[in-house]
Amino acid sequence: MKPFIGVQELRNDLRAKKYSAVELAHFYLNRISELNGSINGFITVDSERCLERAALADRQLAHSNPHPLCGIPIAHKDLFCTKGVRTTCASNMLGSFIAPYDATVVKQTAEAGTVSLGKTNMDEFAMGSSNETSWFGVVRNPWNLNCVPGGSSGGTAASVSSGMTPLATGSDTGGSIRQPASLCGITGLKPTYGRVSRFGMIAFASSLDQGGPLAHSATDVYELLAAMEGHDPMDSTSADVENTTLPAGDRSFVIGYPESLFDDLDSDIAGCIERARLQFEALGHKIEVVELPHIDAAVAAYYVISSAEASTNLARYDGVRYGHRTEVSEDLLDMYCQSRTEGFGLEVKRRILTGTYSLSVGYFDAYYLKAQKIRRLVRDGFLTAFENVDMILAPVTPTTAFEFNSMKADPVEMYKQDLYTIPVSLAGLPALSLPCGFVNDLPVGMQLIGRHFAEGEVLAGGMAFQDRTDWHEHHPTLESASAL
Amino acid sequence: MSRHWEPVVGIEVHVQLATRSKIFSSTSVEFGAEPNVRANLIDLAMPGALPVLNEEAVTMAVKFGLAIDAEIAEKCVFDRKNYFYPDLPKGYQISQFELPIVGRGQLSIFLEDGSVRQIGITRAHLEEDAGKSVHDRFSESTGIDLNRAGTPLLEIVTEPDMRSAAEAAACFRQIHSLVRWLEICDGNLAEGSMRCDANVSVRPVGDESFGERTEIKNINSFRFVERALNYEIERQIDVLEAGGEVVRETRQYDATRDMTLSMRSKELSDDYRYFPDPDLLPLRLSSEFVARARSTMPELPQQKLERFISDYSLAQPVAVRLTRDPSIASYFESTVALGADPQLSANWLLGEVAAALKREEKDYADIPVSSAQLADLIKRLQDKTLSSTLAKVVFEHIWTSDGSVDEIIERQGLRQLNDTDELRTLVQRIITDHPDQIEQIQSGATKVMGYLVGQVMKASQGKADPRQVSDLLKRMLNI
């Protein structure tokens, strides 16, 4: 057995009995115990349940018509609630929290036959772009252990990238799937808002949060999406739409190219995406320049809206019913204050304060309402562009993976990491992040942004690209990681 | 009250909607369950849990809106009202702020003197109830019971249209009557199914602008609304007449001491940081949905009231009382449908029946006498088989045991003494036995007549008709 095998090959091998699901699970569990010490991609590894699930998968594989992902290992970002296994959100606040139920995503992927290895590391409450805010320690980028993996799904991306799991779930609020996928050289999809149920996914910013798949290729991402998506009556914002299907035949797309986005971009990164653009043209797709107005205001609007929602989403962590409660307190107010002071990290506190401020009387109109107006303008800008093009090719990040602590001094610098991903989130659109080159031995990604619920088209675009290129087949060597 | 001051009152009524499950979760709503057994992961605000709106609550709110002739919003929005309290598990209450489901409407209220007033309803919105803090069960700490958390509430807000405590009580009573009528609330005040907050100020008669107001929170009976407001109105007038100023604050009514007490000052108004709840999409109500809600509505009390007045020639105050509660109205209608006289039926329902119910602390829905029995009783009154005195005796029988009215009359020998000869003999005997009294009557002391009628009634064991006895006495004594 070897790591970095795609879903199709794993499925064939399992059905051909080349190895059993239990053997496969052992292989990944061993790899996790070998590598996780240095990568820190997992917060919780659940070997016992994993092997039970694998044994069950083997029994199902013995019958005809096993589920499509039967026996294939998966990892869940630690904000998806898992019954009986702790769900921490990488926060001291939920450090020992065990949810009494499974998130819809966890339930559906289990029903599709996947075998969960455990829960992956992330920025605390999904707030961050570097996975440096986790209560359970930083995650290291498998391509360079001195660099961040991106965030907030950093543990997920690093675990896939280092071959500790072939599939993993993540969540994307302002770029939290796409940016770490890009920094770790893997493929990740932020689905259309409403495509994947949020029930049981611990909320950061409810109007933006969207669960999605990360894997080694667009094909595998599509396989996992099929297990995650679908209308959920337990989530009022879940869309009642047809599941994702790939467009028939070899369609040629009109791909929008927002030239102005590349103006300030690092020229080496721009070069990688430029070459991808030529590749698309060579594949028979048509490139058209598009304008995306109001993008410059998107980051500010995003931080107002997401922090506002976060400030009230996180009000439930009061130490009364579950989660961290301070040992000694004088009275009720003191208990609240102490529990939250001890339970939350700095970045979370910063967002709660920012959000509380922007919702307060006297500031609401100037911040929250204005941000909502910008959000609508950004969305309208995309919809206008989509009148002429099928999808848009854009950068994912302004830089490749950066070193730890290099952006800690100025949070706004860190927020700008999501410059290219945030507008897509505000518009609620689907976007696929996939590798397209290297700069200084670190992966570079690009994103294909689609119309609402046009995941099939961006996935088809990504698959066509990956058919002709091998950027997604580059893997970190991890010699230094094993040595650590 | 001083004649120079006019009170101005508006009320807010929280109505617990009688849905089967909570407003945002599938937990069943039930009063009196063990603490926290009626709370699922949504009610407990578990991480990752999401609200899903209960359609039944929406239908009930729409029915109320239609009943007060209000505008039903095509689009309404649920907002988060943010504050920390242990019985508020999410740290915010889902409510409606800017775009409520029910807009402006009208409600007629009926006062004791028979007059009618139109009260403006500002709005009504849906929201979830909080849990309960239990202070008396544990020493040193407070318990939290989340059974009530997430129970659907309709908060009804009136215009400051009332000018007395009695009007405010009448308005609360009318809302109580209407929501029971619509079957959207059980109206059980003792179990907290309805709570009333009253905003009150006073101003010199003739002034256009309002005085500074206070708010009295959580009053749970009609009587207490009237008492609390009367106390508060007097208190405000005393303050103003002594040259002071009314402070804007929230007050509480202490029923045992019959006074209002300051709870907290509202000078610094709370900032609830309302904003649209991103977990719930704006609610859009189609005209079909509203039409469906309308089609399931009963005849409204106002319509019934007007019909009772025109069809049965009832006086308005009588019709008001008969339409205050759906069970009494339908009881009345079925009694009349069985041939009983409407006026007599009304008198009996609001008189004997009401008194017996009150005595046994029962509700109109629990009348042990069927409307057929009551109709038979009234018909025996109409055909003079029974005097009103005898009818009350028969009523006591049918109240406590089964059996037809006619059987009871026969078995107990309660038939009215209508045979004139028999009665004449009886009257003659009383005249003969009371020569002194006859002398007094004949010398002008007519008051003694009553005594003689009483003697005849006694001798007839209550079976004679007192009016007939009186007539007969007069004729036989030639007066």
Side-chain angles (χ1 to χ4, degrees):
Chain A
M1 260 176 271
K2 57 186 197 303
F4 314 118
I5 302 177
V7 167
Q8 184 60 49
E9 194 181 337
L10 288 172
R11 179 160 51 220
N12 291 344
D13 289 353
L14 285 167
R15 294 188 189 184
K17 309 259 185 306
K18 252 173 98 174
Y19 40 78
S20 68
V22 169
E23 285 169 321
L24 187 62
H26 271 301
F27 170 78
Y28 279 104
L29 290 171
N30 286 339
R31 192 162 168 91
I32 291 168
S33 50
E34 186 187 344
L35 295 177
N36 198 49
S38 53
I39 305 285
N40 200 24
F42 281 83
I43 289 176
T44 304
V45 180
D46 185 22
S47 311
E48 199 178 319
R49 276 162 200 263
C50 172
L51 292 170
E52 280 172 22
R53 292 274 316 160
L56 180 70
D58 278 329
R59 287 198 291 280
Q60 284 163 349
L61 283 162
H63 294 89
S64 57
N65 291 325
H67 292 297
L69 297 178
C70 191
I72 295 177
I74 194 172
H76 293 296
K77 185 175 181 178
D78 207 15
L79 49 50
F80 288 103
C81 285
T82 43
K83 190 175 181 174
V85 180
R86 72 174 173 169
T87 302
T88 69
C89 250
S91 179
N92 183 30
M93 180 56 86
L94 293 176
S96 54
F97 173 69
I98 295 180
Y101 73 114
D102 278 332
T104 300
V105 160
V106 171
K107 188 164 155 266
Q108 286 188 188
T109 51
E111 282 164 4
T114 59
V115 173
S116 176
L117 297 159
K119 309 292 290 290
T120 57
N121 207 340
M122 54 186 279
D123 277 299
E124 184 181 6
F125 280 100
M127 297 170 188
S129 307
S130 64
N131 220 126
E132 291 174 289
T133 70
S134 169
W135 171 256
F136 295 90
V138 300
V139 177
R140 292 177 187 278
N141 191 315
W143 292 92
N144 182 337
L145 298 179
N146 295 316
C147 289
V148 304
S152 66
S153 308
T156 290
S159 297
V160 173
S161 167
S162 59
M164 293 195 284
T165 179
L167 296 176
T169 58
S171 70
D172 190 315
T173 305
S176 284
I177 287 175
R178 293 161 286 161
Q179 185 252 15
S182 177
L183 266 43
C184 291
I186 62 165
T187 306
L189 176 77
K190 182 204 101 71
T192 310
Y193 182 78
R195 171 67 87 183
V196 171
S197 168
R198 294 189 298 114
F199 186 73
M201 187 174 89
I202 297 179
F204 156 21
S206 311
S207 75
L208 295 154
D209 293 346
Q210 182 59 206
L214 294 95
H216 292 298
S217 67
T219 312
D220 287 2
V221 160
Y222 174 54
E223 295 249 14
L224 181 50
L225 176 66
M228 293 173 77
E229 68 182 342
H231 178 240
D232 182 4
M234 296 300 282
D235 173 3
S236 309
T237 61
S238 157
D240 195 359
V241 292
E242 293 284 310
N243 282 354
T244 303
T245 50
L246 297 173
D250 267 349
R251 255 190 73 188
S252 102
F253 296 111
V254 181
I255 300 176
Y257 197 70
E259 251 176 7
S260 55
L261 283 194
F262 293 84
D263 289 350
D264 298 326
L265 184 61
D266 174 279
S267 60
D268 292 332
I269 293 175
C272 290
I273 301 172
E274 171 71 18
R275 283 190 290 282
R277 184 180 70 112
L278 295 171
Q279 185 71 50
F280 278 114
E281 278 185 311
L283 284 165
H285 302 300
K286 194 167 166 245
I287 303 293
E288 262 192 33
V289 173
V290 291
E291 288 297 321
L292 292 175
H294 311 293
I295 294 284
D296 50 341
V299 172
Y302 168 83
Y303 277 95
V304 169
I305 293 168
S306 63
S307 302
E309 293 181 11
S311 72
T312 94
N313 279 335
L314 270 60
R316 66 186 59 195
Y317 306 108
D318 55 9
V320 173
R321 296 167 311 286
Y322 50 74
H324 178 76
R325 186 191 292 170
T326 191
E327 301 260 326
V328 194
S329 52
E330 285 171 17
D331 54 21
L332 179 66
L333 186 64
D334 190 46
M335 188 194 86
Y336 285 154
C337 292
Q338 290 303 323
S339 300
R340 288 167 68 82
T341 300
E342 295 161 10
F344 292 137
L346 268 180
E347 185 60 28
V348 172
K349 286 173 189 160
R350 179 168 15 238
R351 309 259 184 138
I352 291 174
L353 282 173
T354 310
T356 304
Y357 183 84
S358 65
L359 287 176
S360 299
V361 167
Y363 302 99
F364 183 82
D365 291 4
Y367 292 99
Y368 183 81
L369 273 192
K370 188 165 275 181
Q372 290 291 8
K373 283 176 191 160
I374 292 167
R375 182 177 191 171
R376 190 161 312 125
L377 290 172
V378 168
R379 179 188 158 101
D380 291 349
F382 273 108
L383 296 184
T384 305
F386 281 124
E387 287 172 10
N388 301 312
V389 300
D390 298 310
M391 63 186 79
I392 292 167
L393 174 63
V396 182
T397 56
T399 65
T400 53
F402 45 92
E403 290 188 4
F404 291 103
N405 299 318
S406 61
M407 294 198 192
K408 268 203 163 156
D410 184 0
V412 176
E413 271 310 302
M414 181 79 86
Y415 295 172
K416 283 186 185 162
Q417 266 296 309
D418 296 328
L419 183 66
Y420 304 114
T421 49
I422 277 173
V424 180
S425 297
L426 289 177
L429 298 165
L432 182 72
S433 169
L434 67 167
C436 64
F438 286 84
V439 171
N440 298 329
D441 298 326
L442 287 169
V444 173
M446 60 178 177
Q447 54 178 338
L448 288 172
I449 306 159
R451 296 188 181 95
H452 287 117
F453 301 106
E455 281 84 349
E457 295 192 354
V458 296
L459 283 166
M463 288 176 198
F465 181 81
Q466 290 181 339
D467 275 348
R468 296 297 188 87
T469 58
D470 65 355
W471 300 115
H472 62 293
E473 286 166 359
H474 289 249
H475 304 294
T477 53
L478 290 161
E479 283 160 12
S480 55
S482 325
L484 269 174
Chain B
M1 196 199 313
S2 163
R3 280 162 55 199
H4 310 296
W5 298 96
E6 177 183 56
V8 174
V9 184
I11 63 172
E12 294 171 20
V13 181
H14 290 82
V15 174
Q16 218 172 68
L17 296 175
T19 51
R20 281 160 293 182
S21 55
K22 294 188 176 182
I23 184 165
F24 297 117
S25 85
S26 58
T27 313
S28 70
V29 177
E30 192 185 317
F31 182 81
E34 281 295 299
N36 296 311
V37 301
R38 295 269 171 258
N40 71 5
L41 55 95
I42 294 163
D43 312 317
L44 293 167
M46 278 289 162
L50 295 171
V52 178
L53 181 60
N54 179 345
E55 191 180 303
E56 201 183 3
V58 176
T59 304
M60 289 180 174
V62 168
K63 281 186 183 179
F64 178 79
L66 293 171
I68 59 162
D69 205 17
E71 197 174 302
I72 308 298
E74 274 174 44
K75 176 190 163 185
C76 64
V77 169
F78 289 92
D79 296 284
R80 292 184 180 177
K81 179 182 181 178
N82 296 285
Y83 64 95
F84 281 97
Y85 206 71
D87 61 19
L88 189 72
K90 293 190 290 296
Y92 57 84
Q93 177 195 29
I94 305 177
S95 179
Q96 296 193 297
F97 185 52
E98 261 183 42
L99 298 172
I101 185 164
V102 174
R104 208 164 245 287
Q106 287 286 326
L107 190 70
S108 302
I109 63 166
F110 304 93
L111 303 169
E112 294 291 324
D113 64 4
S115 63
V116 185
R117 285 213 52 197
Q118 290 295 310
I119 302 298
I121 302 293
T122 315
R123 58 183 280 170
H125 67 254
L126 283 167
E127 63 183 26
E128 58 180 342
D129 208 345
K132 270 184 195 159
S133 295
V134 182
H135 297 293
D136 53 2
R137 192 149 159 177
F138 309 96
S139 61
E140 311 261 316
S141 55
T142 297
I144 302 294
D145 179 5
L146 296 176
N147 284 351
R148 199 180 67 182
T151 303
L153 296 179
L154 186 67
E155 181 174 335
I156 302 159
V157 183
T158 77
E159 292 288 292
D161 283 354
M162 288 149 278
R163 294 293 173 264
S164 69
E167 286 184 11
C171 185
F172 185 26
R173 188 186 281 277
Q174 192 61 31
I175 290 172
H176 178 262
S177 153
L178 183 58
V179 297
R180 291 204 26 163
W181 197 276
L182 295 168
E183 294 179 343
I184 62 174
C185 176
D186 65 17
N188 193 325
L189 299 175
E191 287 178 8
S193 297
M194 282 179 79
R195 311 193 285 274
C196 180
D197 301 342
N199 283 289
V200 55
S201 62
V202 297
R203 62 181 175 189
V205 171
D207 261 24
E208 287 286 304
S209 59
F210 296 145
E212 186 60 271
R213 66 170 192 261
T214 59
E215 184 180 21
I216 312 170
K217 280 266 184 206
N218 279 333
I219 325 174
N220 66 354
S221 88
F222 308 129
R223 204 158 40 104
F224 289 168
V225 166
E226 194 160 347
R227 282 204 202 161
L229 280 170
N230 274 330
Y231 175 87
E232 182 59 17
I233 289 163
E234 288 292 337
R235 189 191 68 85
Q236 289 190 11
I237 290 169
D238 287 349
V239 167
L240 293 171
E241 288 191 339
E245 279 182 14
V246 172
V247 181
R248 183 156 183 181
E249 61 182 355
T250 302
R251 299 181 70 86
Q252 189 174 17
Y253 177 64
D254 181 338
T256 49
R257 288 192 279 170
D258 189 24
M259 62 192 296
T260 66
L261 303 162
S262 180
M263 279 170 79
R264 58 171 189 260
S265 167
K266 261 209 170 173
E267 278 171 291
L268 287 169
S269 82
D270 297 314
D271 183 357
Y272 290 118
R273 290 174 280 121
Y274 282 102
F275 80 110
D277 189 339
D279 286 333
L280 294 159
L281 300 173
L283 175 64
R284 288 170 203 281
L285 295 176
S286 66
S287 49
E288 291 78 23
F289 183 89
V290 175
R292 251 197 327 276
R294 192 191 294 275
S295 70
T296 60
M297 280 169 63
E299 183 186 23
L300 293 173
Q302 181 68 25
Q303 297 160 349
K304 214 177 253 289
L305 182 134
E306 283 159 16
R307 194 164 56 76
F308 280 8
I309 294 172
S310 63
D311 289 7
Y312 306 127
S313 312
L314 297 178
Q316 197 205 42
V318 174
V320 166
R321 288 182 65 195
L322 284 177
T323 52
R324 192 166 277 165
D325 179 301
S327 42
I328 176 174
S330 69
Y331 194 100
F332 169 75
E333 287 201 276
S334 48
T335 309
V336 171
L338 291 164
D341 176 68
Q343 189 61 58
L344 277 173
S345 302
N347 292 350
W348 271 81
L349 270 172
L350 301 176
E352 291 303 311
V353 175
L357 287 172
K358 194 168 180 185
R359 190 179 65 215
E360 298 185 11
E361 291 178 352
K362 280 183 176 161
D363 205 48
Y364 272 104
D366 314 315
I367 302 178
V369 172
S370 73
S371 53
Q373 285 176 303
L374 188 68
D376 285 345
L377 182 70
I378 289 166
K379 282 190 275 186
R380 292 295 156 268
L381 262 167
Q382 286 170 242
D383 67 15
K384 296 205 170 12
T385 306
L386 294 175
S387 65
S388 55
T389 315
L390 288 174
K392 285 174 191 168
V393 176
V394 175
F395 178 74
E396 288 306 320
H397 275 100
I398 55 175
W399 185 268
T400 49
S401 60
D402 292 339
S404 85
V405 168
D406 288 339
E407 268 173 36
I408 290 164
I409 292 170
E410 286 311 318
R411 201 167 60 229
Q412 309 283 330
L414 294 171
R415 190 176 288 275
Q416 176 163 271
L417 195 54
N418 282 328
D419 180 17
T420 325
D421 285 344
E422 201 179 328
L423 193 59
R424 191 182 286 273
T425 316
L426 205 58
V427 172
Q428 187 56 59
R429 202 180 82 213
I430 296 299
I431 291 174
T432 315
D433 290 355
H434 296 82
D436 294 351
Q437 282 80 357
I438 303 300
E439 202 173 315
Q440 284 172 24
I441 290 170
Q442 279 165 342
S443 56
T446 45
K447 273 194 282 181
V448 182
M449 185 67 99
Y451 172 77
L452 288 183
V453 173
Q455 291 303 307
V456 177
M457 290 304 293
K458 200 172 163 187
S460 77
Q461 293 168 304
K463 287 182 224 166
D465 177 3
R467 202 179 310 148
Q468 210 181 343
V469 171
S470 174
D471 287 349
L472 205 55
L473 264 171
K474 282 179 192 163
R475 251 185 291 137
M476 290 169 73
L477 294 172
N478 292 319
I479 50 169

